[in-house]
Structure formats: structure tokens, C-alpha cells
């Protein structure tokens, strides 16, 4: 289940649909990314280029992860089901953290435990502070995660909804989850 959240976080770090595909040059010039049928590495390169125009602001951030819903069609009783049910009942989690300039201005696939490198973006669009994406990821354990993401992604705030369906590699059934990730910059980092 933690792999599922990691996949969603990876998508956050990389994420974006419509029109002609952008290039690294157009992404750098406009701060917008529009891609179809792209690998994680291609997406990361364009998102990195676009950050020169619209970076996440460094500083103190308050971020909240809320599991809106979890459904477990076909998942039998056992550890996977128990973990998913516990996560569904955990409620929202809020984290306050300092985002450094370096963190705010880079896309680091290696920091995502390899999950970020194992994603394929069917569509991705980041423009005008909005994001729309559909992507498929494979976890290190062999699970296949189909996800969509949409919402607001600006320099000082974010509000994203991620719908995912995970086909489990070693267990019958799937885990269907809806997450909401929101956050806002609350000021400078403490000295």
C-alpha cells in the first residue's frame, strides 16, 4: 500500500494534456508541458525545463494527504486487504516541512525509489497552474497502477486529486483509491 502512495507522489513530482507535444525548449520558454505517450525520463526532462519559468517556491509548506476512498474489489482477506483498510480509516495526514531551493527546482527520479522511472504517461499537461495526467506505473513488486491526476499546481499552492486502480501482482483483485493532496506555502523556513 505504501508503494501505491509512492507511485502517486512520484506522479506529483513529474506530472501533466492536449494539443501538440511540447519540447524541452518550449517548456523552458513557456513553463508549460504537454505530452502524449511519453516515458518518465522524457516527462522529467520537460518538467525540469519548465521549472525555470514556474518553479515551486522554496519555504515552509503545509501539505495534507487525504485518502478519500478505497475499494477492494476481489481482494481476499489477508495482509493486503488489512493494510488497505487501515489506510482508508487513517484519515487525513498533515505534514509541515521546509522545502529548500534545491528541492523546489529539481525533478529527481532516483529519489522516488525507482517507481518514478517505471511510469508511462499516456497524457500529461501542465499549463496555467493546472495539471491533467493519465499514466501507468509498475511497482518494484510487479503491481500495475493505472492513475489519473488533475488539479491545481502553482508556485505557492497545490490541490490535486489522484484516482488510481492497482492490479496486484501476487494477490487476486485490485485496490481502487482516490487521494487528495493539497498544500500551501506558509512562509519562509525557520532559520
Amino acid at each position: 500500500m505504501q508503494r501505491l502512495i509512492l507511485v502517486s507522489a512520484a506522479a506529483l513530482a513529474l506530472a501533466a494534456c492536449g494539443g501538440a507535444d511540447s519540447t524541452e525548449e518550449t517548456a523552458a520558454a513557456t513553463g508549460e508541458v504537454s505530452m502524449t505517450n511519453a516515458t518518465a525520463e522524457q516527462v522529467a526532462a520537460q518538467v525540469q525545463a519548465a521549472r525555470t519559468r514556474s518553479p515551486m517556491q522554496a519555504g515552509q509548506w503545509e501539505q495534507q494527504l487525504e485518502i478519500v476512498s478505497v475499494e477492494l474489489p476481489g481482494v481476499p482477506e489477508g495482509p493486503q486487504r488489512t493494510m488497505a483498510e487501515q489506510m482508508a480509516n487513517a484519515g487525513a495526514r498533515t505534514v509541515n516541512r521546509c522545502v529548500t531551493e534545491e528541492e523546489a527546482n529539481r525533478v529527481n527520479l532516483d529519489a522516488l525509489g525507482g517507481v518514478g522511472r517505471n511510469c508511462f504517461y499516456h497524457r500529461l499537461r501542465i499549463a496555467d497552474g493546472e495539471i491533467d495526467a493519465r499514466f501507468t506505473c509498475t511497482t518494484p513488486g510487479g503491481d500495475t497502477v493505472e492513475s489519473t491526476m488533475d488539479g491545481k499546481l502553482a508556485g505557492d499552492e497545490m490541490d490535486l486529486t489522484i484516482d488510481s486502480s492497482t492490479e496486484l501482482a501476487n494477490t487476486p483483485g485490485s485496490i481502487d483509491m482516490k487521494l487528495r493532496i493539497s498544500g500551501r506555502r506558509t512562509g519562509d523556513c525557520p532559520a
Side-chain angles (χ1 to χ4, degrees):
M1 187 52 62
Q2 288 180 327
R3 288 182 283 177
L4 189 61
I5 290 177
L6 185 59
V7 168
S8 298
L12 265 181
L14 300 175
C17 168
D21 285 358
S22 54
T23 64
E24 285 183 51
E25 292 76 21
T26 60
T30 65
E32 297 181 358
V33 176
S34 181
M35 302 178 79
T36 55
N37 301 322
T39 66
E41 288 80 8
Q42 291 168 322
V43 168
Q46 284 203 30
V47 170
Q48 185 66 50
R51 285 185 180 220
T52 62
R53 296 268 309 179
S54 58
M56 177 182 188
Q57 292 180 15
Q60 191 69 27
W61 277 75
E62 178 182 272
Q63 297 172 320
Q64 186 174 59
L65 171 66
E66 176 187 6
I67 298 174
V68 177
S69 65
V70 176
E71 295 178 16
L72 307 165
V75 177
E77 293 298 325
Q80 294 258 354
R81 184 174 194 90
T82 301
M83 187 183 309
E85 289 170 345
Q86 289 172 345
M87 289 182 68
N89 295 323
R93 188 176 79 193
T94 300
V95 176
N96 289 292
R97 70 183 212 84
C98 176
V99 175
T100 66
E101 283 290 333
E102 182 182 350
E103 291 172 316
N105 290 305
R106 76 164 187 258
V107 175
N108 185 352
L109 292 174
D110 295 323
L112 303 171
V115 175
R117 292 192 183 280
N118 295 316
C119 295
F120 180 81
Y121 289 77
H122 306 281
R123 72 170 189 262
L124 172 66
R125 178 169 169 74
I126 301 174
D128 302 321
E130 301 287 324
I131 185 168
D132 175 43
R134 186 171 75 84
F135 50 97
T136 302
C137 301
T138 303
T139 69
D143 302 337
T144 300
V145 185
E146 297 278 343
S147 300
T148 61
M149 179 185 341
D150 67 347
K152 181 177 185 173
L153 187 61
D156 62 352
E157 63 183 324
M158 70 174 85
D159 191 356
L160 304 168
T161 299
I162 301 168
D163 286 295
S164 65
S165 180
T166 303
E167 291 297 323
L168 304 169
N170 300 312
T171 305
S174 65
I175 299 174
D176 301 333
M177 185 179 296
K178 181 177 210 157
L179 301 171
R180 180 168 181 237
I181 301 170
S182 59
R184 64 185 178 89
R185 185 180 185 277
T186 59
D188 295 331
C189 293

